[in-house]
């Protein structure tokens, strides 16, 4: 099913608000956060495995510029140092909640991309009143899912593709599918965005978190309206997983496209309006939604 974006008509696009970076200490973990202020309920973006928050720049640039956006580096990626010990998604969802507390943000919408889709599901399950709407892009159900091909998955066991963009480009067509089957250059350019590729320890912890977790028993209890975006040419998360999510999530809508795993960022001009249409127009918070306070933390500290 293809969604038709429902964007509020405006005479001229509003200029994007300036984003601020914060380094927040939460639960013995230091997390780098980028916050773009705006109007209404913020959208929290949970990134794919091994990638820093800059990877999602193309998507953020295509979203309604008045929509508040929160991004962060998971432990061991970007500018967030690795955790001392391995962690699970329940703990990381708790950490994300504490980050939002520090930013004085109450209710949010959450988008999870790939590995971040698992974190988004866990956050929605743990915070049914705090998470208003859920968007899952190229996501599965964790350890118990329809797997991609072993060859593809073996190439994702290390963060080498982020550290060496030329290597990432050479394997892009095989592991990501979609439009990059013809040329991996867009992937190389995308992977040059991160300022820091993260650590091997941090990547290993992310792999362990996914290997020890499944959302299957919890999916019927996730009552938020959910948009599932999935590509029919996704070698990492086959399309069958989107159908499983659609079947088990009570209020889910499936948006299928003929692209691959990372079309969300390579073709962000297509998906930005789809996401805005699902979330609805931005408007000041009132009624049952608690107002988002101004952030009072000094940027960088």
């Amino acid at each position: 099913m293809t969604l038709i974006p429902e964007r509020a008509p405006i005479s001229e696009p509003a200029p994007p608000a300036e984003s601020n970076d914060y380094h927040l200490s939460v639960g013995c973990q230091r997390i780098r956060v980028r916050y773009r202020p705006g109007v209404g309920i913020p959208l929290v973006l949970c990134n794919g495995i091994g990638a820093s928050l800059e990877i999602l720049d193309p998507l953020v640039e295509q979203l309604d510029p008045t929509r508040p956006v929160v991004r962060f580096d998971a432990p061991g990626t970007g500018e967030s140092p690795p955790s001392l010990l391995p962690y699970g998604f329940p703990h990381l969802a708790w950490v994300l909640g504490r980050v939002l507390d520090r930013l004085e943000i109450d209710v949010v919408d959450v988008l999870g991309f790939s590995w971040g889709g698992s974190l988004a599901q866990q956050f929605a399950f743990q915070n049914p009143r705090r998470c208003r709407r859920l968007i899952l892009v190229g996501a599965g159900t964790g350890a118990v899912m329809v797997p991609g091909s072993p060859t593809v998955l073996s190439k994702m066991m290390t963060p080498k593709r982020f550290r060496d963009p030329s290597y990432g480009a050479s394997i892009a067509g095989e592991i990501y599918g979609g439009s990059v089957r013809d040329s991996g250059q867009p992937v190389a350019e995308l992977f040059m965005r991160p300022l820091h590729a993260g650590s091997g320890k941090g990547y290993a912890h992310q792999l362990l978190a996914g290997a020890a977790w499944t959302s299957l028993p919890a999916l019927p209890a996730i009552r938020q309206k959910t948009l599932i975006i999935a590509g029919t040419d996704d070698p990492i998360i086959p399309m069958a997983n989107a159908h499983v999510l659609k079947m088990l999530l009570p209020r889910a809508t499936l948006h299928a496209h003929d692209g691959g795993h990372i079309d969300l960022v390579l073709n962000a001009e297509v998906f930005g309006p789809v996401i805005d249409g699902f979330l609805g127009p931005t408007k000041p918070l009132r009624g049952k939604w608690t107002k988002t306070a101004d952030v009072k933390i000094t940027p960088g500290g």
Side-chain angles (χ1 to χ4, degrees), residues 29-32 47-54 72-83 87 115 159 162 194 196-204 206:
Q29 178 66 51
R30 193 164 176 81
I31 301 291
R32 175 202 181 198
N47 213 346
I49 189 169
S52 69
L53 58 83
E54 285 87 359
F72 61 96
D73 288 335
T77 65
E79 295 182 19
S80 293
S83 57
Y87 55 82
W115 181 90
F162 297 113
H196 305 280
S199 69
K201 180 180 179 181
Y203 196 87
Q206 286 188 292

Side-chain angles (χ1 to χ4, degrees), residues 75 82-89 91-92 201-202 204-209 212:
S83 57
L84 296 176
L85 298 171
Y87 55 82
F89 283 120
H91 173 73
L92 192 55
K201 180 180 179 181
H205 285 175
Q206 286 188 292
L207 286 173
L208 287 172

Side-chain angles (χ1 to χ4, degrees), residues 72-152:
F72 61 96
D73 288 335
T77 65
E79 295 182 19
S80 293
S83 57
L84 296 176
L85 298 171
Y87 55 82
F89 283 120
H91 173 73
L92 192 55
W94 176 85
V95 169
L96 177 55
R98 302 294 76 74
V99 166
L100 296 176
D101 289 344
R102 293 288 306 278
L103 296 175
E104 299 187 358
I105 294 173
D106 189 4
V107 176
V108 294
D109 298 319
V110 180
L111 182 152
F113 172 43
S114 191
W115 181 90
S118 298
L119 174 57
Q121 292 172 65
Q122 184 67 44
F123 184 86
F125 175 72
Q126 287 180 205
N127 302 275
R129 295 187 178 182
R130 191 169 202 177
C131 177
R132 184 189 69 132
R133 293 192 179 182
L134 178 65
I135 303 172
L136 304 174
V137 185
T141 56
V144 183
M145 60 173 281
V146 179
S149 74
T151 302
V152 168

Side-chain angles (χ1 to χ4, degrees), residues 19-65:
S19 296
N20 292 316
D21 277 14
Y22 306 91
H23 293 80
L24 307 179
S25 296
V26 178
C28 299
Q29 178 66 51
R30 193 164 176 81
I31 301 291
R32 175 202 181 198
V33 181
R34 180 166 295 171
Y35 175 66
R36 185 185 80 178
V39 178
I41 295 175
L43 174 62
V44 176
L45 303 181
C46 302
N47 213 346
I49 189 169
S52 69
L53 58 83
E54 285 87 359
I55 287 286
L56 295 175
D57 283 349
L59 175 63
V60 175
E61 291 163 5
Q62 295 298 323
L63 294 173
D64 183 339

Side-chain angles (χ1 to χ4, degrees), residues 184-203:
Q185 185 58 32
V187 173
E189 295 172 357
L190 182 67
F191 287 173
M192 289 176 186
R193 285 177 176 261
L195 300 176
H196 305 280
S199 69
K201 180 180 179 181
Y203 196 87

